[in-house]
Amino acid sequence: FVLCAYGGDIREIMLNAKDLGLLNGKYAFITVELNIDSHIGSNTWMGNDTRDKEALEAYNGILNVHLRTPNSPTWRNFTAEIRRRVAAPPYNKPLPADAKVDTYAGTLHDAIMLYALSLNATLQEGGNITDGLTVTNKMINRTFSGVSGEVVIDKNGDRDPDYVLQNLVNGAYLDIGLYISAQQNFTMMPGKVIIWPGNTTVVPKDIPECGWNNEKCSGNLAILGGAIGGSVAALVILFSIIFYYLWRKSRFEADLSSSLWKIDYNEIIFSVKPGANMFGSMVSTKPQMISRPSSSVSVRQKTKTDVVSMGSASYAEDMQIFTSMGLYR
């Protein structure tokens, strides 16, 4: 993560990263000109939230890009002069012995020197002090030695200063790398070991485990997707079979219930040959009287005036007499 923000914003980001468990050695956090004192909430817009100690712990392992602090005799003389002047009137603000002069004080000095050199070149050519365009053009593609080191202004009017890469460890910055703009070269300082977030020396991977576009895990995802799709299809087929079986069973039971009254003629077992008279020779197709010794039973073809008498009993109403002819399975 490259964090380009004010100190209070970076403090909040790092606290959130700590809460989310991202300070586990798998991620690198790079800042630009981060002031260590920004871990104190009262120094930022966040105020005193009682998390200053957590913020300092979250800062541990940050890589910070900082303007290179010169170590030349010219720089030492310049910083000594600054201490003398701020302690004298009208400032009367002596710097503590352990306080460092900010590197940007040297860049401000060199910016004034650049303007002065360009103005002198313009005047020497007969130009005017109010000719800002000519003065500006004299700044382009210029190189000179300043108190902050060699000053190189490119064709766009930009200065490419030297930078140092710092590692924030236990509340202090340690220089671990150097970029020389004139040579466009970055080198790590020998013998320096980087401490990464999570207090580990293992370098985080420079790409995500599955790649930037998930290209390293696409095969696994395809296999997983196929397995899930196959499982879903199998479940759909299984439930379809179960549903069809239950539907057929309920349909069969419904059909069976609605046809209980039906009898297949072929499933009837007759005790008398079908078509023959069940009374054998005792019954004719004509109206007649059938007599038996033990009882007096008269049977005639049924009409509205049929009368059946048994013994001495007579019924003056219609009657039917049934007898077994066959069995149904």
Side-chain angles (χ1 to χ4, degrees), residues 162-313:
D162 297 338
Y163 291 98
V164 64
L165 182 63
Q166 300 174 321
N167 190 197
L168 203 164
V169 181
N170 297 327
Y173 279 125
L174 301 176
D175 295 345
I176 59 174
L178 180 63
Y179 172 77
I180 305 298
S181 61
Q183 304 174 4
Q184 294 188 352
N185 181 48
F186 174 80
T187 57
M188 292 294 295
M189 295 181 180
K192 299 294 183 179
V193 178
I194 301 177
I195 303 299
W196 302 96
N199 294 321
T200 179
T201 58
V202 179
V203 180
K205 295 181 179 180
D206 55 352
I207 60 174
E209 293 182 0
C210 289
W212 297 108
N213 298 314
N214 210 37
E215 65 276 6
K216 293 187 176 183
C217 297
S218 58
N220 295 335
L221 291 178
I223 295 175
L224 179 60
I228 294 176
S231 300
V232 172
L235 289 175
V236 170
I237 294 174
L238 177 62
F239 283 118
S240 299
I241 294 174
I242 294 175
F243 175 79
Y244 179 74
Y245 171 76
L246 295 176
W247 177 79
R248 285 296 302 271
K249 181 179 180 182
S250 62
R251 182 69 180 270
F252 175 77
E253 292 177 349
D255 292 343
L256 185 62
S257 176
S258 63
S259 61
L260 289 177
W261 58 274
K262 296 179 181 179
I263 297 176
D264 188 351
Y265 178 82
N266 295 323
E267 295 182 351
I268 300 176
I269 302 174
F270 290 95
S271 57
V272 179
K273 184 179 180 181
N277 194 297
M278 65 177 181
F279 292 108
S281 60
M282 296 177 64
V283 180
S284 67
T285 58
K286 294 181 180 182
Q288 59 183 347
M289 180 69 66
I290 300 174
S291 300
R292 292 188 180 182
S294 58
S295 63
S296 176
V297 179
S298 63
V299 179
R300 294 182 300 172
Q301 285 186 336
K302 184 178 179 296
T303 65
K304 290 186 178 181
T305 58
D306 286 345
V307 177
V308 179
S309 59
M310 303 181 87
S312 60

Side-chain angles (χ1 to χ4, degrees), residues 40-114:
I40 302 175
S42 299
N43 294 339
T44 69
W45 58 265
M46 298 188 70
N48 185 13
D49 56 2
T50 69
R51 300 193 69 182
D52 293 347
K53 184 177 179 181
E54 291 182 70
L56 185 59
E57 293 175 352
Y59 278 17
N60 205 55
I62 280 180
L63 298 181
N64 183 60
V65 179
H66 182 65
L67 190 66
R68 181 190 181 190
T69 301
N71 192 29
S72 63
T74 303
W75 174 256
R76 290 194 293 269
N77 293 335
F78 174 73
T79 57
E81 184 64 15
I82 288 180
R83 289 178 180 278
R84 186 187 67 78
R85 291 197 179 191
V86 298
Y91 305 107
N92 298 317
K93 296 288 184 180
L95 293 177
D98 58 346
K100 294 182 179 181
V101 176
D102 198 305
T103 307
Y104 285 99
T107 61
L108 291 174
H109 174 275
D110 292 343
I112 300 299
M113 288 296 298
L114 174 63

